[in-house]
């Protein structure tokens, strides 16, 4: 019998979508927060914060990634291995955006192809680790897991997992994204500034080569200007942000039901990806990501089997939706030619059309004699060449590149036109995590990719 207290229970779209199903599954690489009450308060606070991205932008990106999967656009995704709170400064953000824009110019001009610009930015603050602990001089503490979880300083206090950092990660991402939007929409990214972005750099070979190209673009623009062309398209760029969606305590509260479509979007970024260490088929990450509408990336390391690829496609993209799924292979220069073809072929034979991009960084890690985590620039370049060779041989599309880079003049990767050697690492190594390409190495890589694309 109905009474006055009875409420009409409306179907909850988050329940229908199964957004919390991941809680019943094993979740790798999660923090061990000590203070559960503090965690609950942070989750409640995060779930009240405005979304960082709008679902409509996410849908546009999905369409553009579908273009890339067909060879009609190219995805350029780059940024820090791990963003830090301290480095979310105007200068550092500007330098990274600038580097990505310069690479985009090289690619757009060299390959005459639209480039989708995407940062590993505004959310890339949680890191999976191969070991839970780190030992220094006989002292063992929890490993650094990114600023969203703990601090890099090697003290018990700093290394404790603190849920309040999730809120700081959100606010830092919000201010980073705000500046990115200001730069890319407000005039800084105008193609007529193509020279400005290279200021202060022109003395090394990659920068000199860029300068030559910028002059050609300048001339072409002035010519078109004299012809009375309309330059609206040159004024601004669409810039997307992405990160590894590692922490459920961050991603779940930022996942919202879009009022236009009634479906869930993870509003922490436009594209989110699943890392090599969390892509277990029956794990929490794959389940959670299968239920959101964002384009999803999945890293594929050298032990990936064709069946893994097929099962990932079935779980993450059951409807074979164009632009939904991006595979980011990170095989290592010595393995890509051997390991990638069977994966690409399996996907192709299944009728799926994922976007294939190359991460030439994570399969090429080395430790130098003087103790730095580094990568040889030649290996990075060789993996990129291998990626193009594999797709050429199979008649499939090499659709993008995923790199760790910074716009600053660091020395973290070995080689390149400045010929950075092991001793130089001691002078200009700043990364708290993986080694990044510096500004000129990033440009040099862009020229290589542009050449490969133009050949295609
Ligand atoms: N809007 C165009 C694009 O995004 C042209 C453009 C403007 C551009 N500024 C740019 C291209 C900076 C590369 C880099 O492609
Ligand atoms: C990363 O992108 O920083 C990373 C940890 O990559 P992967 O999951 O491929 O090892
Ligand atoms: Mn990394």
């Amino acid at each position: 019998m109905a009474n006055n207290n009875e409420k009409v229970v409306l179907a909850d779209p988050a329940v229908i979508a199964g957004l919390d199903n991941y809680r019943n599954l094993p979740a790798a690489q999660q923090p061990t927060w000590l203070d559960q009450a503090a965690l609950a308060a942070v989750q409640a606070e995060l779930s009240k914060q405005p979304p960082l991205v709008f679902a409509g932008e996410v849908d546009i990106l999905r369409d553009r990634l579908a273009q890339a999967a067909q060879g009609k656009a190219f995805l350029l995704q780059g940024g820090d291995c791990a963003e830090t709170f301290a480095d979310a400064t105007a200068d550092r953000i500007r330098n990274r955006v600038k580097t990505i824009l310069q690479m985009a110019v090289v690619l757009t001009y060299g390959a005459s192809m639209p480039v989708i610009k995407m940062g590993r930015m505004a959310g890339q603050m949680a890191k999976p680790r191969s070991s839970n602990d780190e030992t220094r001089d006989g002292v063992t503490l929890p490993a650094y897991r990114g600023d969203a979880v703990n601090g890099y300083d090697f003290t018990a206090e700093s290394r404790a997992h603190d849920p309040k950092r999730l809120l700081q990660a959100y606010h830092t991402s919000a201010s980073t994204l705000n500046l990115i939007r200001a730069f890319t929409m407000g005039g800084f990214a105008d193609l007529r500034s193509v020279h400005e972005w290279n200021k202060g750099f022109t003395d090394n070979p990659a920068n000199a080569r860029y300068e030559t190209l910028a002059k050609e673009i300048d001339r072409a623009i002035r010519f078109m200007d004299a012809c009375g062309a309309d330059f609206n398209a040159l004024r601004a760029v669409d810039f997307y942000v992405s990160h590894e969606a590692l922490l459920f305590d961050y991603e779940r509260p930022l996942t919202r039901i879009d009022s236009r479509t009634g479906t869930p979007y993870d509003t922490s970024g436009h594209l989110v990806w699943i890392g090599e260490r969390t892509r277990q088929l029956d794990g929490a990450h794959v389940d959670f990501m299968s239920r959101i509408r964002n384009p999803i990336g999945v890293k594929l390391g050298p032990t990936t089997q064709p069946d893994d690829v097929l099962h990932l496609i079935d779980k993450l993209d059951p409807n074979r939706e164009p632009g939904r799924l991006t595979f980011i292979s990170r095989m290592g220069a010595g393995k890509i030619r051997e390991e990638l073809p069977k994966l690409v072929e399996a996907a192709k034979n299944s009728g799926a059309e994922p976007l294939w991009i190359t991460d030439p960084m994570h399969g090429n890690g080395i430790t130098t004699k003087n103790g730095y985590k580094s990568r040889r620039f030649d290996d990075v370049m060789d993996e990129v060449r291998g990626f193009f060779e594999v797709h050429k041989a199979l008649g499939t599309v090499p659709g993008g590149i995923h790199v760790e880079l910074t716009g600053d003049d660091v020395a973290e990767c070995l080689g390149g036109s400045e010929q950075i050697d092991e001793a130089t690492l001691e002078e200009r190594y700043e990364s708290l995590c993986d080694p990044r390409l510096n500004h000129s190495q990033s440009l040099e890589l862009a020229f290589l990719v542009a050449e490969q694309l133009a050949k295609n």
Side-chain angles (χ1 to χ4, degrees), residues 100 114 170 246 296 413 419:
I100 293 173
Y170 168 83
L246 184 70
I296 304 298
C413 292
Q419 296 172 0

Side-chain angles (χ1 to χ4, degrees), residues 118-411:
M118 186 183 286
R120 277 175 68 113
M121 293 177 82
Q124 179 55 26
M125 295 173 206
K127 299 308 298 173
R129 301 316 297 255
S130 25
S131 171
N132 269 330
D133 300 312
E134 181 184 350
T135 301
R136 288 189 201 172
D137 303 326
V139 180
T140 299
L141 291 173
Y144 173 62
R145 287 186 173 271
D147 273 16
V149 176
N150 59 1
Y152 186 75
D153 281 354
F154 196 70
T155 65
E157 197 192 1
S158 139
R159 289 292 172 96
H161 298 181
D162 178 359
K164 285 198 290 302
R165 285 177 165 271
L166 295 172
L167 266 181
Q168 200 178 344
Y170 168 83
H171 289 294
T172 306
S173 298
S175 61
T176 300
L177 185 52
N178 179 58
L179 191 58
I180 292 174
R181 291 192 193 274
F183 281 145
T184 54
M185 306 305 286
F188 178 82
D190 194 311
L191 198 53
R192 285 161 284 186
S193 319
V194 66
H195 274 298
E196 311 272 310
W197 307 326
N198 206 34
K199 285 240 166 85
F201 281 118
T202 33
D203 53 352
N204 84 47
N207 293 104
R209 195 170 168 193
Y210 176 89
E211 199 60 26
T212 308
L213 182 147
K215 276 195 192 112
E216 286 176 34
I217 293 178
D218 236 9
R219 249 174 90 89
I221 292 177
R222 275 186 277 121
F223 169 65
M224 294 304 286
D225 193 19
C227 297
D230 167 15
F231 284 148
N232 252 337
L234 304 190
R235 265 182 204 128
V237 302
D238 294 324
F239 196 101
Y240 298 96
V241 294
S242 63
H243 62 272
E244 177 175 351
L246 184 70
L247 305 176
F248 293 104
D249 297 328
Y250 183 76
E251 307 299 337
R252 176 64 186 90
L254 287 170
T255 298
R256 309 290 168 76
I257 305 299
D258 172 37
S259 58
R260 303 165 313 150
T261 57
T263 54
Y265 287 73
D266 186 344
T267 65
S268 67
H270 298 105
L271 175 146
V272 281
W273 78 83
I274 307 176
E276 167 73 357
R277 291 164 193 77
T278 52
R279 61 173 168 78
Q280 300 79 11
L281 288 167
D282 45 8
H285 290 84
V286 168
D287 187 89
F288 180 72
M289 310 276 254
S290 74
R291 294 166 196 276
I292 57 176
R293 288 287 293 135
N294 307 57
I296 304 298
V298 188
K299 292 284 200 93
L300 301 176
T303 60
T304 314
Q305 294 305 310
D307 263 0
D308 300 331
V309 167
L310 296 178
H311 290 135
L312 284 165
I313 293 173
D314 280 341
K315 289 216 170 183
L316 293 168
D317 184 23
N319 303 323
R320 309 291 193 263
E321 188 182 11
R324 159 72 173 174
L325 189 56
T326 296
F327 284 125
I328 310 165
S329 74
R330 30 87 87 222
M331 300 292 170
K335 295 195 173 143
I336 184 163
R337 293 168 180 86
E338 202 173 311
E339 299 299 333
L340 183 60
K342 57 179 188 265
L343 307 184
V344 176
E345 256 187 320
K348 186 179 167 191
N349 294 339
S350 81
E353 198 179 22
L355 168 61
W356 288 96
I357 71 173
T358 176
D359 163 359
M361 316 295 294
H362 288 90
N364 294 312
I366 57 166
T367 302
T368 61
K369 285 191 288 304
N370 51 357
Y372 287 91
K373 250 176 120 174
S374 190
R375 291 158 177 155
R376 289 190 193 90
F377 188 64
D378 286 348
D379 293 340
V380 171
M381 300 281 266
D382 189 37
E383 181 154 1
V384 170
R385 279 192 206 95
F387 173 73
F388 279 94
E389 283 166 33
V390 166
H391 283 285
K392 180 133 210 155
L394 294 174
T396 46
V397 176
I401 178 158
H402 177 120
V403 283
E404 288 182 342
L405 59 80
T406 166
D408 301 313
D409 187 23
V410 301

